[in-house]
Amino acid sequence: MSSKVYKDKHNNIIKFNPYEKKRRYEVNGEIMNGCTSVIDPRFGKDGLVGWAKKKPIEAVEWQMSDDGYAIDEINKYISSLKDKVKELSERDAKTGTMMHQLCEDLMHKKKIVIPKSEPLKTMFKKFKVWWGKMKYEVIHTERTFYSEELQSCGTVDLICKKNGKYGIIDLKTSKTIEYANYPIQLFAYKKMVEDSTNLKIEFLGLLNIPKDKEAPISFMSFNVDDQDYLEAFKLCLKLKEFEKQHSVKLKEWKQKLKTKKGESDAVSKSTVQ
């Protein structure tokens, strides 16, 4: 996917670079916050998820050592286990990406070749049945929006219309949609859409298409007047800014330690001489 460029109602030029890490979102040439990069680290999705992946592997390594396995056997098994964890994470991410593409194609009535492999085949079947029942009119899919007040951008899965009302639906392929960061993301999207366009968003929903073949598709709706989730996003912004300031102070502190160590080493050297 190449870069996508949009112009909002204020004539801001919004650019989405899906393969860029540092310049994923730009507005008028200036790097802008991404919605999920503001929210997810504040909910432990970076550090804690990495910690959660490491601990079971460390426990297996510990148990194997206690059970008398040789060090080379342990290393070989742990290395294989880490590869499997990485492969599983990548597979889940690819499944989510492919499912989003299939959903978007179906929404736009494009010709679709039904997936052959699981869990994608069953996931798409579930969504197709659900989508056929809902009768939504598609307004935008995978469109990027910007809020000057939030100084953030976000790419929205679906803006649709039903019974004369506009709404946002965010698609998920997780085991659950009960995480607090999901509705925070949804309400931030609402703010971005309304700040970028003349649309008034009157309904919000999270749609979960689980990878588990036995788990049903689920939909969670939210009261658009509930301001707590948008306030939570603003708090995440403040925390991100605080973390940035802390990082600067930490860098200064480390430099001072380095300078003091250098001075101490110089004094010790001159004393010995």
Side-chain angles (χ1 to χ4, degrees):
M1 185 194 297
S2 58
S3 298
K4 292 185 177 181
V5 180
Y6 308 95
K7 183 185 283 188
D8 70 8
K9 67 179 182 181
H10 304 292
N11 292 319
N12 292 306
I13 304 300
I14 306 164
K15 189 175 182 182
F16 173 47
N17 309 299
Y19 296 121
E20 293 283 345
K21 287 187 176 181
K22 293 185 178 180
R23 303 190 72 92
R24 189 172 177 81
Y25 291 105
E26 295 177 61
V27 177
N28 302 324
E30 181 183 348
I31 297 174
M32 202 56 57
N33 291 313
C35 186
T36 54
S37 69
V38 171
I39 301 168
D40 289 350
R42 267 84 260 168
F43 281 81
K45 194 169 180 181
D46 292 342
L48 285 179
V49 168
W51 177 86
K53 285 180 180 177
K54 284 171 61 179
K55 286 302 170 184
I57 293 175
E58 288 177 3
V60 170
E61 186 174 6
W62 186 6
Q63 186 63 53
M64 290 181 74
S65 180
D66 284 352
D67 289 345
Y69 284 88
I71 190 169
D72 56 340
E73 289 181 296
I74 295 173
N75 285 342
K76 183 178 178 181
Y77 186 80
I78 293 301
S79 179
S80 175
L81 194 58
K82 286 179 179 178
D83 288 342
K84 289 292 183 185
V85 170
K86 184 181 178 182
E87 183 183 331
L88 187 61
S89 298
E90 290 174 351
R91 188 188 73 184
D92 284 350
K94 287 178 182 176
T95 298
T97 300
M98 288 189 288
M99 189 62 213
H100 272 73
Q101 185 62 60
L102 285 166
C103 292
E104 186 179 8
D105 288 348
L106 182 67
M107 292 171 191
H108 289 290
K109 301 178 181 178
K110 292 183 180 180
K111 185 178 179 180
I112 296 172
V113 177
I114 303 299
K116 305 292 185 186
S117 62
E118 294 292 357
L120 206 58
K121 183 178 178 180
T122 300
M123 291 170 73
F124 179 68
K125 183 179 178 181
K126 291 176 189 176
F127 177 77
K128 189 176 180 181
V129 172
W130 181 87
W131 182 253
K133 292 177 181 178
M134 299 312 295
K135 309 297 182 185
Y136 288 120
E137 177 189 346
V138 176
I139 305 301
H140 293 296
T141 58
E142 294 297 325
R143 177 73 181 259
T144 302
F145 300 92
Y146 162 67
S147 168
E148 183 177 2
E149 181 182 337
L150 299 180
Q151 285 292 289
S152 302
C153 293
T155 300
V156 179
D157 288 340
L158 171 64
I159 298 178
C160 54
K161 188 177 180 182
K162 189 172 184 178
N163 300 326
K165 296 181 178 181
Y166 293 96
I168 296 173
I169 296 177
D170 198 30
L171 277 59
K172 301 296 183 186
T173 56
S174 312
K175 286 186 177 180
T176 177
I177 48 175
E178 296 177 3
Y179 303 116
N181 49 316
Y182 287 169
I184 293 174
Q185 180 183 354
L186 198 58
F187 276 80
Y189 284 163
K190 176 181 182 292
K191 173 68 173 169
M192 293 170 194
V193 170
E194 292 181 338
D195 285 1
S196 290
T197 70
N198 293 317
L199 297 179
K200 178 176 173 54
I201 301 301
E202 297 185 80
F203 64 91
L204 296 168
L206 290 170
L207 177 69
N208 192 34
I209 313 162
K211 297 179 183 74
D212 184 346
K213 288 179 67 175
E214 305 301 321
I217 203 166
S218 58
F219 186 81
M220 184 184 295
S221 59
F222 297 86
N223 178 358
V224 294
D225 295 323
D226 189 341
Q227 293 300 305
D228 288 346
Y229 293 106
L230 183 58
E231 289 304 314
F233 182 82
K234 292 176 181 178
L235 287 172
C236 288
L237 277 172
K238 288 182 179 179
L239 277 172
K240 184 177 182 181
E241 183 58 33
F242 171 78
E243 287 164 7
K244 192 187 296 184
Q245 292 171 4
H246 172 68
S247 181
V248 171
K249 291 176 182 178
L250 192 60
K251 190 176 180 180
E252 291 172 352
W253 175 72
K254 286 182 177 179
Q255 185 58 46
K256 286 179 182 178
L257 281 183
K258 189 176 179 181
T259 303
K260 285 182 178 179
K261 186 178 185 303
E263 291 173 351
S264 177
D265 289 346
V267 170
S268 298
K269 192 175 180 180
S270 63
T271 301
V272 169
Q273 290 175 347

